Amino acid sequence: MDARLTNQALSEHVALSAGACLSRVRRLESEGVILCYRTEIEATEIAAWVYVFGEIVLTGEGRKVRANVEGAFRDDPFVLEAHQAAGRADYLLVVAGPDVSAWPKFIERIDPEGRLIAASDAIVRVRQVKRFSGLPQLKQP
């Protein structure tokens, strides 16, 4: 959905009165369902950025290890996304940087002493084929 729609246009799209639509949007905002409104840019169009999809396996399962790496993910401005995972990796990440050395530099920043990360792997993005544009509409039974 286009976040730039006026309330009137949105109300017509969802078949509600303008007042009811505005009330529902405000409620969804206050309940944390609508998280934000933002403009997305393609950074590679304005600067030479490299995106790396990374996997990280931790050395241990302790809460302290997880808390340390998750805090580091949140604090690092080059981490665009971080997801805890189940399977061969503990975390899946999207990291941006000026060149392909961004990934090893990132690992060094996160774990300078080599005690938290047991293994890591990276895949460099060549180009984006499809951008997330919202969840699909589910058909009601």
Side-chain angles (χ1 to χ4, degrees), residues 19-96:
C21 183
L22 184 59
S23 294
R24 186 168 296 179
V25 168
R26 296 268 158 77
R27 181 176 51 83
L28 292 171
E29 290 169 341
S30 70
E31 292 175 354
V33 175
I34 296 175
L35 299 175
C36 68
Y37 301 93
R38 67 179 182 207
T39 300
E40 290 188 32
I41 61 167
E42 179 53 62
T44 58
E45 293 295 323
I46 58 174
W49 282 96
V50 172
Y51 291 92
V52 175
F53 297 94
E55 297 180 342
I56 289 182
V57 177
L58 300 180
T59 58
E61 291 296 319
R63 287 186 183 152
K64 187 174 183 181
V65 171
R66 287 196 183 280
N68 286 340
V69 296
E70 288 180 11
F73 297 160
R74 280 192 283 278
D75 293 342
D76 193 305
F78 295 99
V79 176
L80 306 181
E81 295 182 31
H83 307 270
Q84 186 178 4
R88 71 179 190 203
D90 293 308
Y91 291 93
L92 300 175
L93 306 169
V94 180
V95 177

